[in-house]
Amino acid sequence: QVQLVESGGGSVQAGGSLRLSCAASGYTYSSYCMGWFRQAPGKEREAVAKISRGGSRIYYADSVEGRFTISRDNAKNSLYLQMNSLEPEDTAMYYCAADSTCLLFYTDTDTGYKYWGQGTQVTVSS
């Protein structure tokens, strides 16, 4: 059974930091590209960051470039998102997801992402 379990969300003030983690199980983790996505109330889900199978390729949304860092540990079947200089606009539910195709990598689409976690809430106050 495939499981993606996010953790690390919470409430912080603007300018603060959080580190999200995603624990994967039930599939061959290293064979999948991974991504972090977020959805704010009343808005569509958007891609935040993606990382290739081995970690050599990384994509960031323009809105988080320079502030967020995605990484993965294939030995631990884990995905991370270090979020610094958080802004109120970063408030959203954050999801990790897995894509076996790794197509459309350098885009903001979630096409191909087959497995999804339940999400962890991030709230940034001004």
Side-chain angles (χ1 to χ4, degrees):
Q1 180 183 359
V2 172
Q3 278 194 314
L4 294 173
V5 180
E6 301 94 338
S7 61
S11 296
V12 295
Q13 290 190 327
S17 299
L18 285 172
R19 187 186 193 221
L20 305 184
S21 298
C22 173
S25 61
Y27 69 103
T28 306
Y29 177 74
S30 59
S31 296
Y32 283 66
C33 287
M34 297 296 296
W36 285 101
F37 297 81
R38 67 186 181 187
Q39 187 167 21
K43 295 187 177 181
E44 292 187 356
R45 185 169 60 196
E46 62 176 352
V48 174
K50 302 177 181 179
I51 189 166
S52 60
R53 297 179 181 97
S56 61
R57 294 186 296 153
I58 288 177
Y59 162 86
Y60 292 108
D62 289 344
S63 58
V64 306
E65 180 87 54
R67 300 188 298 121
F68 290 10
T69 303
I70 189 171
S71 61
R72 67 187 295 164
D73 186 336
N74 286 348
K76 296 182 178 180
N77 287 3
S78 294
L79 179 72
Y80 307 99
L81 185 68
Q82 178 66 43
M83 305 187 296
N84 298 328
S85 302
L86 283 162
E87 303 169 353
E89 293 73 23
D90 297 317
T91 295
M93 186 71 79
Y94 283 71
Y95 301 90
C96 67
D99 173 18
S100 63
T101 69
C102 301
L103 298 175
L104 303 176
F105 184 83
Y106 292 109
T107 70
D108 60 1
T109 183
D110 61 8
T111 299
Y113 281 82
K114 180 178 180 181
Y115 303 132
W116 291 82
Q118 293 300 306
T120 186
Q121 178 68 38
V122 172
T123 302
V124 184
S125 59
S126 58

